[in-house]
Amino acid sequence: MGQGAVDTDIAELTRAPGPDRRRGLRGSELRRAVADRIGRQFTLQFEMEQSADPANRVTLDPRHRDRLGLPRPVVTYGLSTHVKDGIAAAKAVSDQLFALLGAEDHTAFEPTAWPGRFEHRGRTYGYRGAGHAAGTHIMGGSPHTSVVD
């Protein structure tokens, strides 16, 4: 069973098992397998908002440049204990929902699939960014403590 977006399921179904992985399911057989698998899946996601932390920032590294000669960005980011506790609480709710539904959780936090993988209070969790840059702009009235006003 795939983990993540539908395209990972498609990739898995179109690969042949064993050493010769060049050809898996095709045509109507692939359509049936996709309909069977995808029709029984759902994704449960939780959004967490972290308070502003001056240690979390985006800076430029003049030693590493892109093809245009511009300095590359360096993202420094860590989760607060409060957010980690929130993620742990959300996972507990997720576990309860899956149990009530009789559903299997196929989430795996392998380091290659989850760059946001972390250990917290003896358990492994993973997170991904929400896809917007709002969190990189601390708001306030002073240019010494904020980026935008």
Side-chain angles (χ1 to χ4, degrees):
M1 176 83 43
Q3 299 167 11
V6 172
D7 58 336
T8 60
D9 287 293
I10 303 300
E12 184 180 317
L13 290 168
T14 56
R15 275 194 311 263
D20 181 14
R21 301 182 78 104
R22 290 179 289 167
R23 186 170 170 88
L25 300 179
R26 300 286 188 269
S28 59
E29 191 178 9
L30 175 61
R31 280 191 295 278
R32 280 191 297 276
V34 168
D36 178 60
R37 181 181 284 193
I38 304 301
R40 295 181 291 112
Q41 293 181 8
F42 67 95
T43 299
L44 184 60
Q45 298 173 316
F46 295 92
E47 299 281 334
M48 306 293 166
E49 188 66 34
Q50 179 155 307
S51 298
D53 181 348
N56 292 336
R57 61 192 172 279
V58 179
T59 59
L60 298 175
D61 186 346
R63 296 170 300 155
H64 297 95
R65 301 197 173 259
D66 65 14
R67 291 182 182 179
L68 297 174
L70 301 172
R72 291 187 177 264
V74 177
V75 177
T76 304
Y77 187 76
L79 298 175
S80 69
T81 301
H82 180 73
V83 169
K84 288 179 180 179
D85 286 342
I87 291 171
K91 176 65 172 127
V93 169
S94 170
D95 291 345
Q96 291 172 8
L97 291 172
F98 275 72
L100 288 169
L101 293 169
E104 295 177 37
D105 185 353
H106 290 272
T107 306
F109 300 113
E110 289 104 12
T112 55
W114 289 85
R117 181 179 187 264
F118 66 95
E119 303 288 327
H120 182 63
R121 303 190 196 285
R123 289 194 65 186
T124 302
Y125 300 94
Y127 71 93
R128 293 189 175 113
H132 58 77
T136 62
H137 308 299
I138 298 175
M139 293 182 276
S142 167
H144 301 291
T145 60
S146 62
V147 178
V148 295
D149 58 22

